[in-house]
Amino acid sequence: MLKTETITINMGPQHPSTHGVFRMVLTLNGETIVDLKPMFGYLHRGLEKTSESRTYLQAVPFTDRLDYICSMSNNFAYAVAVEKLAGIEVPLRAEYIRVIMAELTRLVNHMLAVGFLFNDLGAWYTPVVYAFRERERILDLFEMASGSRMMCNYIRPGGVAADLPAEFLPQLRKMIPHLENFVREIRFYLSDNEIFKARAVGVGFLPADMAVAYSITGPVLRASGVKYDVRKAEPYSIYDQFDFDVPTQVAGDVYARYLQRLDEMDESLKILRQAVERIPEGEYATKVPSRLRPPKGEAYARIEAPKGELGFYLVSDGSPNPYRWRNRPPSLINLSALREMCLGHKVADVVTILGSIDITLADVDR
Amino acid sequence: MSLPQILFLVVGVITLGAAVAVVTSRNVLHSAFLLALTFFGVAVLYVLLDTPYLAAAQVLVYIGAISVLIIFAIMLSRKVAAPDLVQRNSQWLLSLIVAVLLFGVLAYLTLQTAWPAAKQALGVDAIGGLGEAFVGTYALPFEVVSVVLLVALVGAIIIARER
Amino acid sequence: MQVLDDLWIRIAVWFRGLLESFLPPWAVQLTMDVLGILLLIVLGIVVVLAFTYMERKVIARVGDRIGPNRAGPFGIFQAIADAIKMLTKEDVTPTNADRWLFLAAPIVVIIPAVLLYAVLPLGRGMVGVDLNIAVVFVVAMGGIPILTMLMAGWASNNKYALLGAFRTVAQLISYEVPMVVALLTVVLLAGTMSTVGIVEAQASFPFALVTPVAFVVYMLAGLAELNRTPFDLLEADSEIVAGYFIEYSGMKFAMFFLAEYINLFMVAGMITTLFLAGWQWPILPSWLWFLIKVVLVIFLMMWIRATFPRFRIDQMLGFAWKALVPLSLINLFLVALVAKVLEPGWVRTGVLFVSNLALLAGAIAIMAQVARKREERARAAGEAAIKRYYGSEVR
């Protein structure tokens, strides 16, 4: 009876809620989404190709720029890959430092993800400002260790760039209860907000089987109920020595992803507690020549980065430069299910769903 | 001439001008907004005639509801506000004759009617009287009109929902 | 005390006497009228300056920040700095915009906002016009902004603006219904539609205590009419960027901004007048009481804005039609019945207060029930998918 027309809207590349230069071509019927096409590549810097003309060590700062929120995790994954390729042993103290840094990075990332999710929902900067306050404290620790807040370039093949300063561990010890309290506070103030629940429950549902089919990883996958974590599935570094759980949710919607991030923050704090207690004295790095020539061959190493499985695939032809330098970014692959999650929802939900996937455009475009 | 009379004339000219522009504008959407202006002018005239309730009702119903509905309908229809709107078709002469005749009849009637003037200013209780008339004397017609409106409302929903 | 209470009226009387000494009577009347109108408009602008500063500070404090602190002591000149910025910014008109409507919208938007001040009783004997249909006037003027938003949204020739305009119609028209019913409840209790009369009817009990349901409904509908969180879908920054005024810049944008804050004061003033006994209450001068109550209501709105996420369009409309409208209608019947049976006094207030609280509790319980059902459905869908993937319920 009534004839309706769809309208096409370009959301982005300049849009406050696309978390960077990302564009979605939305086809709308009224406010309901009929079709969605993600368009990316605006931030492509050719990091993979550039790294192939650098030495193995020179490529470490590039990994900082992949997912600029989690530079430590990126360093970590790359270091593990290079060590696997060249067969380098890492001292135990360095492994502990790495784990501490990786878990702190996870905390930073999840804080921001939760905070910005509320920004996307229209809660005017209040939750995100509190998240930023806690993040700054962790960034202070990063600066103490590496000299830089965000582009840390700290975890290197063979170990870490420098030993922890003397005041680092006492300060971290003090901060752990504080951070635990922060997670509790978020749960208390935000989890039961009825408007938030109305906006998040049942929105952006990603069924477990579809998530696996799209090779989604990280919190998004676990929120759909699949118990998969690289730290448990294929333990790297010294993660097999820590006692922690892999939390999962059931519902697989935006709300489940939010809860999942909070649960993971709790687990990270658990790991941090153990690491701070057990960290041994000793060497912080194995000597690695600056023009490292790994033997001919290839290696793929992956870690559980805050956003999902982060992998590096390196091929060596025996020269100081890698023959192939390939990166598996969690943001890009998690983004691939965006269309399936958004169809049939409203315009406002796209923003929420995108926020709940938690992407960094620098990581998507590389 | 007193101040209210001057105001009355100014507002009247604006209202009539807007009304003419509604018909002559080539852009449907402009016409719709000018129609809202006309309605508003009429409301101001009501105020100048000491009937604030009618003025408020005019704004509420004609601007708040009817104008918005018209504009919304225009926005939702296809080829919205095409600039080259055809204002004439083959029947323009016929409609002109009818319009002139109608105007003549109305003007004649207006001039012939002996408009009774109120002896004194309207009492403050004018609204009270209106309300009592609605639920007293004219209760039945009032209810019938509401039922008709309700039927129209339900009908519109049924038409819109049919797929 | 009496002097303070009548301060502004005394000033007016004195000024009138001053004018009468050298002007003919009709000129005195004209001057006083024009001055009164100017005063109300200036009040509007002063209010905007004060409340933008207050809004920044309140939201900053809620977010554990300091807020504006550079322009002047404690940043109190921030609003003036903003105004200067607005005035000096480039005035952009999009190429394909409908020039006339684009220009007209920011001008028209300010008119109903300022007109409404005429019926706001700012203190004892301090009201622009004591209209006997003030309440209908307020409702009528509330309809005009819809028109201007449609105008702006359409004229901008921008899809976000158009979406914003569509949302406007849906939201503002929907929330007018519960708002009017809540107003009716108050009119029924006060027995008058004049704002002054309504304030005087609350000499013993403020209507917020007599009928909390109407108060809550009016407050929520007022938030929706103002496009403030959690109903700020018309301009939803994170979704449709700024909605209907996305293409406006410079002074034209400032006009929308101005209208928004003038309306904020107006709605807070109406809530104060209708439910919080307006300028009544002892000891302090009446106009100060009015100001205090208005600032408290506005603070509450800012607090809500700083802490709540926003609704989605369908949820917002559902909330209006499925929750607020039935609730306010039931309340109207209840109040009509009780007001007919019982005489005004402690008993009637008590009965109404308790029954209203029960009504609110019932409504909240039903909404909570619906929300729990949604959660269960979402959980069931997730469980089914997990079962599909693992082939069993083992996790």
Side-chain angles (χ1 to χ4, degrees), chain A residues 218-265:
Chain A
V220 183
L221 175 70
R222 291 189 286 274
S224 288
V226 180
K227 199 169 183 139
Y228 175 80
D229 186 320
V230 182
R231 289 175 295 180
K232 288 276 190 198
E234 193 191 313
Y236 53 94
S237 190
I238 46 166
Y239 271 108
D240 46 355
Q241 297 172 21
F242 291 103
D243 170 36
F244 66 100
D245 295 327
V246 178
T248 56
Q249 311 295 323
V250 176
D253 52 14
V254 172
Y255 191 64
R257 275 166 231 149
Y258 156 83
L259 285 182
Q260 175 67 23
R261 297 216 160 85
L262 292 187
D263 288 351
E264 288 190 12
M265 279 162 86

Side-chain angles (χ1 to χ4, degrees), chain B residues 6-68:
Chain B
I6 297 170
L7 270 177
F8 190 93
L9 280 181
V10 171
V11 175
V13 167
I14 292 175
T15 310
L16 281 179
V20 170
V22 170
V23 187
T24 53
S25 168
R26 298 180 76 86
N27 187 326
V28 193
L29 212 73
H30 285 185
S31 294
F33 280 113
L34 283 166
L35 189 63
L37 180 62
T38 314
F39 289 149
F40 193 75
V42 174
V44 176
L45 291 184
Y46 281 138
V47 172
L48 289 170
L49 292 172
D50 267 346
T51 48
Y53 177 73
L54 273 187
Q58 167 87 9
V59 173
L60 187 62
V61 175
Y62 282 93
I63 297 182
I66 291 181
S67 290
V68 169

Side-chain angles (χ1 to χ4, degrees), chain C residues 202-218:
Chain C
Q202 299 178 69
S204 38
F205 307 104
F207 286 148
L209 235 80
V210 181
T211 164
V213 170
F215 175 57
V216 170
V217 168
Y218 193 87

Side-chain angles (χ1 to χ4, degrees), chain A residues 32-192:
Chain A
T32 311
I33 291 154
V34 191
D35 197 11
L36 182 148
K37 244 189 231 159
M39 303 272 200
F40 42 79
Y42 292 95
L43 208 60
H44 181 64
R45 293 149 298 168
L47 285 183
E48 292 180 342
K49 201 69 196 165
T50 313
S51 302
E52 283 167 18
S53 57
R54 300 285 192 278
T55 65
Y56 286 92
L57 285 189
Q58 277 173 339
V60 178
F62 289 135
T63 63
D64 286 336
R65 273 98 184 145
L66 278 173
D67 177 357
Y68 46 80
I69 294 169
C70 319
S71 58
M72 287 283 197
S73 299
N74 303 338
N75 294 165
F76 192 4
Y78 179 65
V80 172
V82 173
E83 283 149 14
K84 198 168 170 185
L85 186 68
I88 301 167
E89 283 293 315
V90 182
L92 191 59
R93 183 173 170 83
E95 294 281 26
Y96 269 96
I97 296 175
R98 285 177 173 191
V99 167
I100 289 173
M101 292 304 180
E103 294 310 317
L104 282 175
T105 307
R106 197 180 313 280
L107 285 171
V108 168
N109 181 72
H110 287 359
M111 266 171 206
L112 288 195
V114 168
F116 277 116
L117 178 64
F118 274 86
N119 234 24
D120 294 342
L121 283 167
W124 284 96
Y125 297 99
T126 304
V128 86
V129 165
Y130 281 90
F132 259 87
R133 188 186 67 186
E134 300 310 315
R135 170 179 181 252
E136 282 308 312
R137 297 190 182 174
I138 297 180
L139 292 191
D140 283 348
L141 285 179
F142 286 172
E143 187 175 10
M144 204 185 275
S146 71
S148 172
R149 292 166 65 250
M150 284 175 75
M151 303 293 121
C152 298
N153 185 17
Y154 182 63
I155 300 174
R156 310 265 176 89
V160 294
D163 201 1
L164 292 178
E167 66 273 23
F168 184 93
L169 285 174
Q171 189 157 337
L172 179 58
R173 249 181 224 117
K174 253 196 305 197
M175 237 169 70
I176 290 171
H178 179 84
L179 288 170
E180 282 168 346
N181 193 39
F182 174 68
V183 178
R184 252 200 308 279
E185 250 176 24
I186 290 190
R187 271 184 212 283
F188 180 74
Y189 286 115
L190 302 182
S191 291
D192 288 330

Side-chain angles (χ1 to χ4, degrees), chain A residues 8 10-11 15-17 31 120-121 124 126 129-130 133 194 197-199 201 209 227 248 250 349 351, chain C residues 62-64 159-160 167 232 237-239 306 308 310 312 315 372 374-375 381-382 385-386 388 390 395:
Chain A
T8 307
N10 264 315
M11 219 172 185
H15 188 281
S17 300
E31 287 232 6
D120 294 342
L121 283 167
W124 284 96
T126 304
V129 165
Y130 281 90
R133 188 186 67 186
E194 283 297 338
K197 275 188 170 175
R199 287 294 307 273
V201 171
D209 44 351
K227 199 169 183 139
T248 56
V250 176
D349 291 329
V351 167
Chain C
V62 173
D64 201 11
K159 280 172 183 167
Y160 288 126
R167 285 180 175 192
D232 59 338
D237 250 353
S238 55
E239 297 153 23
F308 277 100
R310 81 170 67 84
R312 204 170 57 207
Q315 293 164 347
R372 293 302 85 79
R374 266 170 54 86
E375 273 164 48
I386 294 167
R388 267 206 307 281
Y390 280 113
R395 283 172 54 211

